[in-house]
Amino acid sequence: MENFQIAIDGPSGSGKSTLARSVARALGILYLDTGAMYRACGLKALDLGILPKDEKAVGKMIPNLSLDILFENGSQRVILDGEDVTNRIRMPGVSVAASDISGHRPVRERMVQMQRDIAGKQNVVLDGRDIGSFVLPNAQYKFFLTADAEERARRRLEEMAVRGITGQTFEEVLSDIRYRDRQDSTRAFAPLIKTPDAIVIDTTYNSPEETLAILLSYLPDEIRCSRSPESPQ
Ligand code: DC
């Protein structure tokens, strides 16, 4: 069987990462969280005191940024300039910085190149905003997740609480989500978009298990039954 690619796009908090992680586990394939890569770029700008919207300063920063994505036992670690920033990229403030910085062409070109390199080597599931439309336009399976903004904010808050990150109110998280929705879908280069060949799944009233079952139902048997004990995750 040829390598296959699964693309999952959608706005913040629509359940992409939970779904992509469980798809990867169910099929024994690699999961690449592309949002984490933009978060690392946003974090670097914040660390350097650069405004993520400052195109000129960001353009100078990007060639000097060293980013490595490591995969260990099914989980992804993000190494920025030699430091493991897997947890720091989830801190409040980094989400908006990631959205702000992701609009710049040099940032996207560098990240997309890395994503295509990783995706070209094995069976993969990628989640993001532009996976089906730009990163992997020939992906065999494309999904677009949606959910009400309030439900997405509630999930984000819960996810942060699990990581021990507190300090943001529901209203603040909701306002960040609305800001990012607008910005991520209106930027000029590779915006968040549903391609005509993507299957839409509204996750507002679904449990993660239900959403997983829906996605798997669109895959052919040979993929659903292909998981081997030697699979990587
Ligand atoms: O999925 P996330 O919330 O971790 O993503 C953080 C930001 O990164 C998001 O607001 C927009 C940007 N992003 C992007 O532009 N393209 C992607 N493929 C993934 C994320």
Side-chain angles (χ1 to χ4, degrees):
M1 189 171 51
E2 261 191 24
N3 278 352
F4 63 88
Q5 299 170 330
I6 302 175
I8 303 179
D9 290 300
S12 314
S14 53
K16 299 183 303 286
S17 58
T18 304
L19 176 62
R21 200 170 295 115
S22 51
V23 167
R25 204 173 302 126
L27 303 180
I29 63 173
L30 189 83
Y31 162 43
L32 175 63
D33 167 4
T34 64
M37 300 168 67
Y38 294 97
R39 284 171 178 270
C41 297
L43 178 65
K44 168 130 183 166
L46 295 179
D47 281 352
L48 292 177
I50 290 173
L51 280 180
K53 285 246 182 194
D54 182 340
E55 189 160 5
K56 230 172 151 183
V58 169
K60 278 194 199 147
M61 180 192 95
I62 285 298
N64 301 317
L65 170 144
S66 145
L67 183 65
D68 289 300
I69 306 296
L70 307 182
F71 300 97
E72 289 167 2
N73 306 320
S75 74
Q76 172 177 318
R77 305 216 68 83
V78 180
I79 313 296
L80 174 66
D81 297 328
E83 182 199 347
D84 187 333
V85 295
T86 310
N87 293 329
R88 281 183 68 214
I89 57 172
R90 303 292 158 190
M91 299 302 281
V94 180
S95 305
V96 167
S99 177
D100 286 347
I101 210 163
S102 70
H104 302 306
R105 191 177 273 265
V107 176
R108 298 205 77 78
E109 282 175 347
R110 175 118 189 248
M111 296 305 116
V112 168
Q113 190 53 54
M114 280 181 75
Q115 291 157 18
R116 287 181 181 152
D117 286 348
I118 295 170
K121 293 186 185 128
Q122 59 235 300
N123 296 328
V124 284
V125 52
L126 268 69
D127 79 340
R129 305 293 186 292
D130 59 340
I131 307 303
S133 60
F134 187 71
V135 180
L136 305 174
N138 297 322
Q140 294 88 334
Y141 308 101
K142 296 184 186 178
F143 298 89
F144 192 89
L145 263 54
T146 60
D148 289 351
E150 281 81 7
E151 172 61 16
R152 293 190 279 124
R154 203 189 53 71
R155 289 178 192 167
R156 233 329 102 84
L157 213 57
E158 226 175 72
E159 192 183 296
M160 290 198 293
V162 168
R163 292 174 192 269
I165 303 168
T166 52
Q168 268 195 314
T169 63
F170 175 81
E171 281 69 29
E172 284 166 339
V173 175
L174 181 60
S175 138
D176 277 8
I177 279 188
R178 292 210 160 113
Y179 171 87
R180 291 202 287 147
D181 280 358
R182 208 167 35 246
Q183 177 158 272
D184 296 345
S185 42
T186 55
R187 66 172 173 242
F189 184 38
L192 165 66
I193 192 174
K194 184 197 106 48
T195 56
D197 54 351
I199 293 158
V200 178
I201 307 177
D202 184 335
T203 69
T204 309
Y205 304 106
N206 287 352
S207 68
E209 294 74 23
E210 286 167 332
T211 308
L212 173 65
I214 294 171
L215 185 148
L216 293 178
S217 73
Y218 285 100
L219 303 182
D221 285 349
E222 76 244 40
I223 288 185
R224 263 182 293 149
C225 306
S226 64
R227 197 189 197 299
S228 74
E230 304 85 52
S231 296
Q233 300 184 37

